[in-house]
Amino acid sequence: MIPIEWLPDGRVRLIDQTKLPHDETYLETSDYRDLVTAISQMKVRGAPLIGITAAYALALASRETSATDRDELMSRLRTAAEELRATRPTAVNLAWALERALRVAEGATDPQSAIDALETEARRIHEEDVAACHAIGANGASLLDAETTLLTHCNTGSLATGGYGTALGVVRAAWEQGKLERVYVTETRPLLQGARLTAWELQREGIPFTLAVDSAAGSLLRRGLVRAVVVGADRIAANGDLANKIGTYTLAVLAGENGVPFYAAAPTSTIDPNTPSGDDIPIEERDPAEVTALVGMGTTAANPAFDVTPSRYVSAIITENGVASPPYKESLVALLREEAPSRG
Ligand code: MRU
């Protein structure tokens, strides 16, 4: 499953995730503003995939300009980058990819080389993410026992990354290694990324799963049906606190209460050494209509898209460079210094 691709004619093609699982429709565009909207409206979502989309968007923006001098091009790119950065504040992968792309453009000597370099860099960010996901899958599966049952939240699969997935990459790798008996998938209200997207991915691959409403998680854990919880992350602070889809904190506390390991799986691009703790992570508040739509009644509604899980509930953080254990202040710094071992 390729969630996004750069087409040979200089357009970007992505699957519209708001239409899944009922319709498999694709958006094709050469206008970076369509990608700004696609990220805001969550046609494309998931921390690593948002970063990849933003890098492709800057490559598109560079082609739209008639700028003949480098400074003018850079000024237009910075404007586009600001529009993109404002779409979703929590996932640090977005700012990370934009900064990486802007640095490459700044290093180019003339507008045409900047345009070429931005396309190459966006493709590279995409390819590196796919490789990182495979390494995360392998590193995560090595932590699991045979005949394991997992529980995962939201969607962290091919639809949230360059391909393969982070937490869902661990699920996939465990399945490929014959270690996985079943994975429980929480629905993930209000937008149902678990029920619509994770279930769709797992069904296509024949990986055995059971869908559960979010509020059933405590009961599943207490009844001993889950051997480990594995989730993704949108931003991991320097102390190991992490922001992820709303409901993750609840799962982490319930896992701790029931003696079940709680793992977060993410590429190192999700680690933000400049954010000291979870209290410093900006949490996106989305339109209350996403919550009230189901009942169709006008009420007030809180709709924080993410919550923060304090690091004391996190058994390990699985990355492409290896697995970090507490104390995270030290282990995350060590991982950021590492090069991912080559896959072979
Ligand atoms: O609001 P979303 O659907 O973009 O939220 C996605 C999540 O919270 C994922 O768990 C996270 O981005 C990691 S995706 C590999």
Side-chain angles (χ1 to χ4, degrees):
M1 165 72 226
I2 300 168
I4 191 165
E5 62 186 316
W6 181 267
L7 300 175
D9 61 1
R11 288 179 308 149
V12 168
R13 179 177 199 258
L14 58 86
I15 188 161
D16 180 348
Q17 300 192 25
T18 59
K19 302 279 197 307
L20 287 171
H22 305 296
D23 296 315
E24 225 176 283
T25 53
Y26 289 82
L27 165 76
E28 289 184 359
T29 185
S30 56
D31 186 340
Y32 83 90
R33 292 168 207 84
D34 290 337
L35 296 186
V36 173
T37 309
I39 298 173
S40 307
Q41 295 180 347
M42 293 178 64
K43 289 180 178 168
V44 62
R45 28 78 39 210
L49 187 54
I50 293 171
I52 293 163
T53 307
Y56 281 132
L58 273 197
L60 290 183
S62 72
R63 292 169 158 240
E64 258 178 40
T65 69
S66 53
T68 44
D69 80 274
R70 218 184 125 273
D71 291 346
E72 199 185 329
L73 176 70
M74 282 315 300
S75 136
R76 290 184 186 188
L77 286 176
R78 285 198 191 97
T79 305
E82 282 323 301
E83 283 173 55
L84 287 157
R85 201 190 300 268
T87 52
R88 300 202 69 194
T90 304
V92 74
N93 309 63
L94 175 60
W96 172 88
L98 287 171
E99 275 152 31
R100 195 168 144 174
L102 285 174
R103 255 197 320 274
V104 157
E106 270 155 15
T109 45
D110 59 88
Q112 190 53 50
S113 350
I115 290 168
D116 295 342
L118 281 166
E119 182 190 326
T120 307
E121 191 67 1
R123 286 170 184 275
R124 192 173 290 144
I125 287 173
H126 189 170
E127 281 160 19
E128 284 176 10
D129 188 68
V130 178
C133 284
H134 282 275
I136 289 167
N139 290 338
S142 71
L143 301 174
L144 305 173
D145 301 327
E147 293 175 20
T148 200
T149 48
L150 298 173
L151 184 145
T152 194
H153 189 51
C154 196
N155 172 268
T156 59
S158 298
L159 292 167
T161 60
Y164 200 72
T166 55
L168 213 61
V170 175
V171 170
R172 282 199 164 96
W175 174 248
E176 285 158 14
Q177 292 176 18
K179 282 182 163 181
L180 181 76
E181 205 167 87
R182 174 161 302 273
V183 55
Y184 288 93
V185 175
T186 43
E187 281 186 319
T188 320
R189 278 279 290 148
L191 297 180
L192 301 175
Q193 290 93 328
R196 292 189 304 109
L197 308 177
T198 302
W200 183 75
E201 286 196 40
L202 293 172
Q203 203 149 42
R204 279 163 60 109
E205 284 178 46
I207 299 178
F209 71 94
T210 301
L211 187 62
V213 295
D214 297 334
S215 45
S219 163
L220 299 174
L221 285 156
R222 187 166 156 73
R223 283 152 63 202
L225 296 174
V226 176
R227 299 279 284 277
V229 175
V230 56
V231 298
D234 284 78
R235 190 185 300 224
I236 301 172
N239 70 348
D241 294 351
L242 56 95
N244 192 50
K245 180 50 56 194
I246 191 76
T248 301
Y249 171 50
T250 317
L251 288 175
V253 175
L254 287 166
E257 171 69 17
N258 288 284
V260 172
F262 176 89
Y263 299 124
T268 48
S269 55
T270 305
I271 302 171
D272 182 4
N274 299 318
T275 296
S277 81
D279 293 341
D280 307 298
I281 300 177
I283 299 294
E284 176 186 4
E285 188 72 34
R286 291 186 63 84
D287 188 346
E290 291 179 350
V291 176
T292 57
L294 199 67
V295 280
M297 200 171 74
T299 65
T300 54
N303 190 14
F306 303 98
D307 58 25
V308 171
T309 298
S311 62
R312 65 178 177 280
Y313 294 110
V314 182
S315 314
I317 296 176
I318 303 159
T319 76
E320 74 278 22
N321 288 2
V323 177
S325 307
Y328 291 111
K329 260 189 196 147
E330 288 81 38
S331 60
L332 290 177
V333 169
L335 271 191
L336 284 174
R337 275 200 225 105
E338 295 266 326
E339 281 290 308
S342 60
R343 296 173 59 219

